[in-house]
Amino acid sequence: MCRWLAYFGKPVRMDKVLYGPQHSLIEQSLHSRLGAETTNGDGFGIGWYGADGTPGVFKSMEPAWNDRNLRDLARHIESHLFIAHIRATSGTAVQQTNCHPFRYGKWLWAHNGVVHDYANVRRDLLLAVDPALFPLIEGSADSEVLFFLALTLGLEADPPAAVARVIGLVEQIGHAHGVEFPFQGTIATTDGERLWAFRYSSEGRSRTLYYSSDYDTMRAMYPDDERLLDFDQSTRVVVSEPLGELPGMWNEVPESSWGVVQPGRGELHPFRPAVPAHA
Amino acid sequence: MCRWLAYFGKPVRMDKVLYGPQHSLIEQSLHSRLGAETTNGDGFGIGWYGADGTPGVFKSMEPAWNDRNLRDLARHIESHLFIAHIRATSGTAVQQTNCHPFRYGKWLWAHNGVVHDYANVRRDLLLAVDPALFPLIEGSADSEVLFFLALTLGLEADPPAAVARVIGLVEQIGHAHGVEFPFQGTIATTDGERLWAFRYSSEGRSRTLYYSSDYDTMRAMYPDDERLLDFDQSTRVVVSEPLGELPGMWNEVPESSWGVVQPGRGELHPFRPAVPAHA
Amino acid sequence: MCRWLAYFGKPVRMDKVLYGPQHSLIEQSLHSRLGAETTNGDGFGIGWYGADGTPGVFKSMEPAWNDRNLRDLARHIESHLFIAHIRATSGTAVQQTNCHPFRYGKWLWAHNGVVHDYANVRRDLLLAVDPALFPLIEGSADSEVLFFLALTLGLEADPPAAVARVIGLVEQIGHAHGVEFPFQGTIATTDGERLWAFRYSSEGRSRTLYYSSDYDTMRAMYPDDERLLDFDQSTRVVVSEPLGELPGMWNEVPESSWGVVQPGRGELHPFRPAVPAHA
Amino acid sequence: MCRWLAYFGKPVRMDKVLYGPQHSLIEQSLHSRLGAETTNGDGFGIGWYGADGTPGVFKSMEPAWNDRNLRDLARHIESHLFIAHIRATSGTAVQQTNCHPFRYGKWLWAHNGVVHDYANVRRDLLLAVDPALFPLIEGSADSEVLFFLALTLGLEADPPAAVARVIGLVEQIGHAHGVEFPFQGTIATTDGERLWAFRYSSEGRSRTLYYSSDYDTMRAMYPDDERLLDFDQSTRVVVSEPLGELPGMWNEVPESSWGVVQPGRGELHPFRPAVPAHA
């Protein structure tokens, strides 16, 4: 159910990252190896930050693998920070409003995973969204509601704390509906300056998540790989599954963790859902 | 914003009704004369009843005028009862889940009009939907929520009463949000045996609605019109705007009215919203 | 590259054949086992004959697996003869005009396979199409041109002879362009009364093709399988790959063969391309 | 049938030109005033040159007016030279491969108009395309074939001469098929450095074409119009119909003319088709 990729670092033509690698995200849309589904053909989306700091979004309900617009746009747009997502629906409609990344102001949000028994908890989750944000919900996917819950619970001020509250709330509401393991998945979110990634599931067996090694280390290991010249020390890529099989290139984000990519040194921390205040 | 057509009567190939007439519904998708918009190109849908009494639905987010699938299906499917709808969005996304007619069990529902200031009243309207029906809401259009409110408020038992309650509720919630004229539009709904149509707006200037004259009368007026041979005494068509300009063929449904088409004699009554019980 | 299914026999709701079986065609769109590609998500089409003997066609550029229109139409349309096709493009655009089955008058045509080095032979193949038929070519797929070549070379009079001429011509033109093995694939074609199927490739290792066993034999083998009650002695299904794993149910069409399904007894013959007259 | 816009000059966010004006191209997709059709909803396309001089292309078969991707891309891509086109088909399929602008190497091409009786002359026109270019033809629109004929007949060396040859050929072939007035329309083409525009029809009553006035003149006339600040002396816009009603802003390209926009001074010349050499 879905794969995503988040790029942070030296401005680069997006196709270098999306199409270039050996096992690229676009190739994963046809042949994912680590996903719950091998095919992620129920739409895709890409959100990128331009020179002015605001994100653009391009979405389609068609499969990514043969999409000519995506190929052309990726070839002609350069960005220092972007999120791409390919979708395999767990049941909700195949439509642009269910494609990731979701956007609010300068924020983007992508999710791979599922709120279990979503049909039954959806109403309660929607009720927890700030009524002022409610009119902005356009699709029917759980991932979009998670985003608006995060905005409701403080995403703009403190993303890790807000996501902890969202997942705590999802678990509380899920348990109240008899769902044993309410949340599953990985999340990427960014305000255009920093990039946060989360890996967590209620059952402790979460969807996979990887981040690229330090640039200098990669250059030392692969001094002849010309593709690395497109990037630099500021570059970090976070992905649902590795984009290739170069040993030493990809590192697994540990179970129940969150990390932040930012100018300077990134961080990696344990993740724990927050119990809602009124619980 | 939107045009619809409902056919009841002798089984007929659907293209005879959808494409045949002088100013057909498909032609109205490009050149509506009486609509709020001249172009209704933001998707379409058709729902029809087959021999077994259950409705099929075909929807598309593309304009109807050049849609080859619609043309082919209409040419190859015969039905005694069907609703077709062409959409001009008032802002919500162009996607199949926002296309009419909406379906629940054996019921179909189409709407032309608008819940004014929908973004602000949407949350309250959604809260009024039976939680057991709530998971079935897939789109973001006001019309779909009206349908699920009608189901919540008794559509299956007494359609005119249920629609009166829905519109009463919409007016109550709208007024509470400072909306002067909350509801505008026409509605078609059917269970496969009878067809109900409604024309009402809070300001008393509702979208147009017409019904075809009695078959024998038409035959007497136009004995040489061979197109009439496809129909018979059981036939009645209800439309947002006339399908042609034959004098005597189309009759306006009066302002604030509802009617029912059924085996035997149809009926036409005044319509008044019902004030919700706890108001 | 593509999978297809052709049904002949007792009128049946199409979903019984398309969605019902264990390894249905729709399931094959996500997980083909014997195809050149595991995913067939570049559009689909279905053509069916109704009571009046003319074929209807429904096509989409989206994947079949989550297409709600296909599911609904298949559930509401009954037919005694239909062809369904799911596409995996070998490079030409994903668009409805490249989806199978192609139609001309009462004829339908579907193809799984490829004209090798098509870009280079396309012009010569197009030139061999009857100029009177030429304006009807709408897409860019090799399969469509094969169909119009067949019509040019006598499909309506003698399908096996016409297909032999088409493939003979493809091989002649291919060889002239230095293509070692010009043709690969299987073909289904029908006039609404009989159904012809072909399996052939220039290299003698053709795409797979199967036909269902005789109905009485199946009933004897599986007396408790209730799904068989939807069919009868007139039923025969021809498929790119088996729809399930019941032993004895599916028989491979031999390499380099053609067969015809018709009222009464079907036939199976060796297939050999015909050398064009002026060669 | 179709409207287009070509922008040349100071790099600008494309939405300033596509959405900003009073009667913008996007608004023309719903309500064209001077077109053969008021609605241009059968797909659209945009081609733009980036910093590296190569053109990107984004196309869709959906109407432009509610397309969110177009709006977002236009808001996030800046370009000094771009062509946008909205389509109203004269019969050929609504699909991306029929959307303008067409691209070959660094060239773009857009057309508004029609080759009359195209079904009958299409084969002869296709035969006149250089066989080496032939495999690149993907759609079924006359406009695409005109482009490949222009490339065949010297577009890259001398655009005005090549277009004169193309239209001369179209007229010759048309006349041979009994078509009185074979060509109708306007054409825009560019190599990323200069922009050529043509207005011509065999009957001498061509589709409209306009170009914007000199920037200094406009600034002098409208010193308070802040929208003009996005542009400068290098800016020139060529359009099927004016983008607004400011007196003095738009000048009609005379009947049977061609012009070129380029660094420095533009030119405007009479246009005459060239009689093919072997005529």
Side-chain angles (χ1 to χ4, degrees):
Chain A
M1 306 153 180
C2 311
R3 306 275 81 183
W4 57 260
L5 171 157
Y7 176 90
F8 183 101
K10 181 179 170 184
V12 66
R13 256 177 44 197
M14 295 195 292
D15 64 336
K16 300 272 188 184
V17 180
L18 291 177
Y19 290 87
Q22 190 185 352
H23 181 54
S24 75
L25 188 75
I26 306 308
E27 207 259 339
Q28 290 176 28
S29 69
L30 263 178
H31 302 295
S32 162
R33 297 168 195 184
L34 304 181
E37 301 283 348
T38 55
T39 307
N40 294 277
D42 300 322
F44 67 84
I46 183 162
W48 73 97
Y49 292 84
D52 66 354
T54 69
V57 169
F58 172 63
K59 296 183 175 185
S60 169
M61 56 185 281
E62 280 139 43
W65 57 77
N66 275 323
D67 197 88
R68 297 177 178 197
N69 285 323
L70 178 61
R71 186 173 284 273
D72 233 57
L73 293 168
R75 198 178 282 158
H76 286 87
I77 299 178
E78 197 174 271
S79 176
H80 63 285
L81 177 46
F82 57 93
I83 295 178
H85 185 278
I86 51 176
R87 187 166 181 250
T89 177
S90 46
T92 52
V94 178
Q95 55 191 22
Q96 284 186 23
T97 54
N98 284 348
C99 290
H100 312 217
F102 299 97
R103 174 176 55 185
Y104 174 78
K106 62 181 183 178
W107 288 82
L108 293 178
W109 175 278
H111 170 231
N112 161 35
V114 67
V115 172
H116 285 294
D117 206 5
Y118 182 58
N120 285 323
V121 299
R122 181 183 175 205
R123 187 173 183 274
D124 284 356
L125 291 177
L126 281 172
L127 288 185
V129 171
D130 180 345
L133 295 171
F134 190 88
L136 303 174
I137 298 176
E138 291 199 301
S140 55
D142 51 2
S143 308
E144 185 189 25
V145 174
L146 294 175
F147 180 36
F148 282 98
L149 285 173
L151 289 163
T152 299
L153 299 173
L155 181 69
E156 292 161 295
D158 185 344
V163 172
R165 285 181 208 116
V166 169
I167 297 179
L169 181 70
V170 168
E171 293 193 329
Q172 183 191 41
I173 290 176
H175 291 153
H177 282 78
V179 183
E180 187 176 5
F181 299 126
F183 182 85
Q184 164 63 266
T186 66
I187 291 170
T189 190
T190 171
D191 61 356
E193 293 175 22
R194 290 187 288 172
L195 167 69
W196 292 266
F198 300 83
R199 183 184 184 205
Y200 176 77
S201 62
S202 306
E203 67 261 53
R205 292 191 307 179
S206 306
R207 297 276 187 278
T208 55
L209 191 63
Y210 293 83
Y211 61 98
S212 61
S213 292
D214 172 76
Y215 182 76
D216 289 333
T217 308
M218 292 196 294
R219 284 288 288 157
M221 287 192 297
Y222 302 102
D224 300 329
D225 193 322
E226 297 200 346
R227 291 171 303 175
L228 291 177
L229 300 179
D230 289 321
F231 311 107
D232 69 11
Q233 283 82 354
S234 70
T235 299
R236 188 78 73 180
V237 187
V238 187
V239 291
S240 297
E241 65 184 74
L243 304 183
E245 295 180 351
L246 291 187
M249 193 112 170
W250 298 100
N251 313 279
E252 190 172 2
V253 173
E255 181 65 65
S256 302
S257 301
W258 69 269
V260 59
V261 184
Q262 54 196 358
R265 203 162 174 71
E267 296 171 20
L268 191 56
H269 301 275
F271 177 83
R272 222 184 327 264
V275 182
H278 325 289
Chain B
M1 309 159 182
C2 311
R3 306 275 83 184
W4 57 260
L5 172 158
Y7 176 89
F8 183 101
K10 181 178 169 185
V12 66
R13 254 176 46 195
M14 296 195 292
D15 64 336
K16 301 272 187 182
V17 180
L18 292 177
Y19 291 86
Q22 190 184 354
H23 181 53
S24 74
L25 188 75
I26 306 308
E27 207 258 340
Q28 290 175 29
S29 70
L30 264 177
H31 303 295
S32 162
R33 297 168 194 183
L34 304 181
E37 301 284 348
T38 55
T39 306
N40 294 276
D42 299 323
F44 67 85
I46 183 163
W48 73 97
Y49 292 83
D52 66 353
T54 69
V57 168
F58 171 64
K59 296 182 174 185
S60 169
M61 56 185 282
E62 281 139 41
W65 56 77
N66 275 323
D67 196 89
R68 296 179 178 194
N69 286 322
L70 177 60
R71 186 174 284 273
D72 234 57
L73 292 168
R75 198 178 281 157
H76 286 89
I77 299 178
E78 198 175 89
S79 176
H80 64 285
L81 177 47
F82 57 94
I83 295 178
H85 184 278
I86 51 178
R87 186 165 182 250
T89 177
S90 47
T92 51
V94 178
Q95 55 191 23
Q96 284 187 22
T97 54
N98 284 348
C99 290
H100 312 216
F102 300 98
R103 173 176 56 185
Y104 174 78
K106 63 181 183 177
W107 287 82
L108 294 177
W109 174 278
H111 169 230
N112 160 35
V114 67
V115 172
H116 285 294
D117 205 7
Y118 182 59
N120 285 321
V121 299
R122 182 184 175 205
R123 186 173 183 276
D124 284 356
L125 291 177
L126 280 172
L127 288 186
V129 171
D130 180 346
L133 295 171
F134 191 87
L136 302 174
I137 299 176
E138 291 198 302
S140 55
D142 51 1
S143 308
E144 185 189 24
V145 174
L146 294 175
F147 180 36
F148 282 98
L149 285 173
L151 289 163
T152 299
L153 299 173
L155 181 69
E156 292 161 294
D158 184 343
V163 172
R165 285 180 209 118
V166 170
I167 297 178
L169 181 70
V170 168
E171 294 193 328
Q172 183 192 40
I173 290 176
H175 292 152
H177 282 78
V179 183
E180 188 177 4
F181 299 124
F183 182 86
Q184 164 63 266
T186 66
I187 290 169
T189 190
T190 173
D191 61 355
E193 292 175 24
R194 290 187 289 172
L195 167 69
W196 292 265
F198 300 83
R199 183 184 184 205
Y200 176 78
S201 63
S202 306
E203 67 261 53
R205 292 191 308 180
S206 306
R207 298 275 186 278
T208 56
L209 191 63
Y210 294 82
Y211 61 98
S212 61
S213 292
D214 174 76
Y215 182 76
D216 289 333
T217 308
M218 292 196 294
R219 284 287 288 158
M221 287 192 296
Y222 302 102
D224 300 330
D225 193 323
E226 298 200 346
R227 290 172 303 177
L228 291 177
L229 300 180
D230 290 320
F231 311 107
D232 69 12
Q233 284 82 353
S234 70
T235 299
R236 187 79 71 180
V237 187
V238 187
V239 291
S240 297
E241 65 184 76
L243 304 184
E245 295 179 352
L246 291 186
M249 193 110 170
W250 298 99
N251 314 280
E252 190 171 1
V253 173
E255 181 65 64
S256 302
S257 301
W258 70 270
V260 59
V261 184
Q262 55 196 359
R265 202 160 175 71
E267 298 171 19
L268 192 56
H269 301 276
F271 177 83
R272 221 183 330 264
V275 181
H278 326 288
Chain C
M1 306 156 181
C2 311
R3 307 274 80 185
W4 57 260
L5 171 158
Y7 177 89
F8 183 101
K10 180 178 170 185
V12 66
R13 254 175 46 195
M14 295 195 293
D15 64 337
K16 301 271 189 184
V17 180
L18 292 177
Y19 291 86
Q22 190 185 354
H23 181 54
S24 75
L25 188 75
I26 305 309
E27 206 259 340
Q28 290 175 27
S29 69
L30 263 178
H31 302 294
S32 162
R33 297 170 194 181
L34 304 182
E37 301 284 349
T38 54
T39 306
N40 293 277
D42 299 323
F44 67 84
I46 182 161
W48 73 96
Y49 291 84
D52 66 353
T54 69
V57 169
F58 172 64
K59 296 182 174 187
S60 168
M61 57 184 280
E62 282 140 42
W65 58 77
N66 275 323
D67 196 89
R68 297 179 178 195
N69 285 322
L70 178 60
R71 187 174 283 273
D72 233 57
L73 292 168
R75 197 178 282 159
H76 286 88
I77 299 178
E78 198 175 271
S79 176
H80 63 285
L81 178 46
F82 57 93
I83 296 179
H85 184 278
I86 51 177
R87 187 167 182 248
T89 177
S90 46
T92 51
V94 178
Q95 55 191 23
Q96 284 187 21
T97 55
N98 284 348
C99 291
H100 310 218
F102 300 97
R103 174 176 55 186
Y104 174 78
K106 63 181 183 178
W107 288 82
L108 293 177
W109 175 279
H111 169 230
N112 161 35
V114 68
V115 172
H116 284 294
D117 206 5
Y118 182 59
N120 285 322
V121 299
R122 182 184 175 205
R123 188 173 182 274
D124 285 355
L125 291 177
L126 280 173
L127 288 185
V129 171
D130 181 345
L133 295 171
F134 190 88
L136 303 174
I137 299 175
E138 292 199 301
S140 55
D142 51 2
S143 308
E144 185 188 25
V145 174
L146 294 174
F147 180 36
F148 282 98
L149 286 172
L151 289 162
T152 299
L153 299 173
L155 181 68
E156 292 161 294
D158 185 344
V163 172
R165 286 181 209 117
V166 169
I167 296 179
L169 181 70
V170 168
E171 293 193 329
Q172 183 192 42
I173 290 176
H175 292 153
H177 282 78
V179 183
E180 188 177 4
F181 299 125
F183 182 86
Q184 165 63 266
T186 65
I187 290 169
T189 190
T190 171
D191 61 355
E193 293 174 22
R194 290 187 288 172
L195 167 69
W196 290 266
F198 301 83
R199 182 184 185 206
Y200 176 78
S201 61
S202 306
E203 66 262 53
R205 292 191 306 180
S206 306
R207 296 276 186 280
T208 55
L209 192 62
Y210 293 83
Y211 62 98
S212 61
S213 292
D214 173 76
Y215 182 76
D216 290 334
T217 308
M218 292 196 294
R219 284 287 288 158
M221 286 192 296
Y222 302 101
D224 300 330
D225 193 323
E226 297 199 346
R227 291 170 304 176
L228 291 177
L229 300 180
D230 290 320
F231 311 108
D232 69 12
Q233 284 82 353
S234 69
T235 299
R236 187 79 73 181
V237 187
V238 187
V239 290
S240 297
E241 65 184 74
L243 304 183
E245 296 180 353
L246 290 186
M249 193 111 171
W250 298 100
N251 313 279
E252 191 173 1
V253 173
E255 181 65 65
S256 302
S257 300
W258 69 269
V260 58
V261 184
Q262 54 196 359
R265 201 161 175 72
E267 296 171 21
L268 192 55
H269 300 275
F271 177 83
R272 221 183 329 265
V275 182
H278 324 291
Chain D
M1 307 156 182
C2 310
R3 306 276 80 184
W4 57 259
L5 172 158
Y7 176 90
F8 183 102
K10 180 178 169 185
V12 66
R13 254 176 45 195
M14 295 194 294
D15 64 336
K16 301 272 188 184
V17 180
L18 292 177
Y19 291 87
Q22 190 184 353
H23 181 53
S24 75
L25 188 75
I26 305 309
E27 206 259 338
Q28 289 176 28
S29 69
L30 263 178
H31 302 295
S32 162
R33 297 169 194 182
L34 304 182
E37 301 284 347
T38 54
T39 306
N40 294 276
D42 300 323
F44 67 85
I46 183 161
W48 72 96
Y49 292 85
D52 66 354
T54 68
V57 169
F58 172 64
K59 296 182 174 185
S60 169
M61 57 184 283
E62 282 140 42
W65 57 76
N66 276 324
D67 196 90
R68 296 179 179 195
N69 285 322
L70 178 60
R71 187 174 282 273
D72 233 57
L73 293 168
R75 197 178 282 158
H76 286 88
I77 299 178
E78 198 175 270
S79 175
H80 63 286
L81 177 47
F82 57 93
I83 296 178
H85 184 278
I86 51 177
R87 186 164 181 249
T89 177
S90 47
T92 51
V94 178
Q95 54 191 23
Q96 284 187 22
T97 55
N98 284 348
C99 290
H100 311 218
F102 300 98
R103 173 176 56 185
Y104 174 78
K106 63 181 183 178
W107 288 82
L108 293 177
W109 175 278
H111 169 231
N112 160 35
V114 68
V115 172
H116 284 295
D117 206 5
Y118 182 59
N120 285 321
V121 299
R122 181 184 175 206
R123 186 173 183 275
D124 284 355
L125 291 176
L126 280 172
L127 288 185
V129 171
D130 180 345
L133 294 171
F134 191 87
L136 302 174
I137 298 176
E138 292 198 300
S140 55
D142 52 1
S143 307
E144 185 189 25
V145 174
L146 294 175
F147 180 35
F148 281 98
L149 286 172
L151 288 163
T152 299
L153 298 173
L155 181 68
E156 292 162 295
D158 184 344
V163 172
R165 285 181 209 117
V166 170
I167 296 178
L169 181 70
V170 168
E171 293 193 329
Q172 183 191 42
I173 289 176
H175 292 153
H177 283 79
V179 183
E180 189 176 3
F181 300 125
F183 182 85
Q184 166 63 267
T186 66
I187 290 169
T189 190
T190 173
D191 61 354
E193 293 174 22
R194 290 186 289 172
L195 166 70
W196 292 265
F198 300 83
R199 183 184 184 207
Y200 176 77
S201 62
S202 306
E203 67 261 52
R205 293 192 306 179
S206 306
R207 297 276 186 279
T208 56
L209 192 63
Y210 293 82
Y211 62 97
S212 61
S213 292
D214 173 76
Y215 182 76
D216 290 334
T217 308
M218 292 196 293
R219 284 286 288 156
M221 287 192 294
Y222 303 102
D224 300 329
D225 193 324
E226 297 199 346
R227 291 171 304 176
L228 291 177
L229 300 179
D230 291 319
F231 311 108
D232 69 12
Q233 284 81 353
S234 69
T235 300
R236 188 78 74 181
V237 187
V238 187
V239 291
S240 296
E241 66 185 74
L243 304 184
E245 296 179 353
L246 291 187
M249 193 112 171
W250 298 100
N251 313 279
E252 191 173 0
V253 173
E255 182 64 65
S256 302
S257 301
W258 70 269
V260 58
V261 184
Q262 54 196 359
R265 202 161 174 71
E267 296 172 20
L268 192 55
H269 301 275
F271 177 83
R272 222 182 328 266
V275 182
H278 324 289

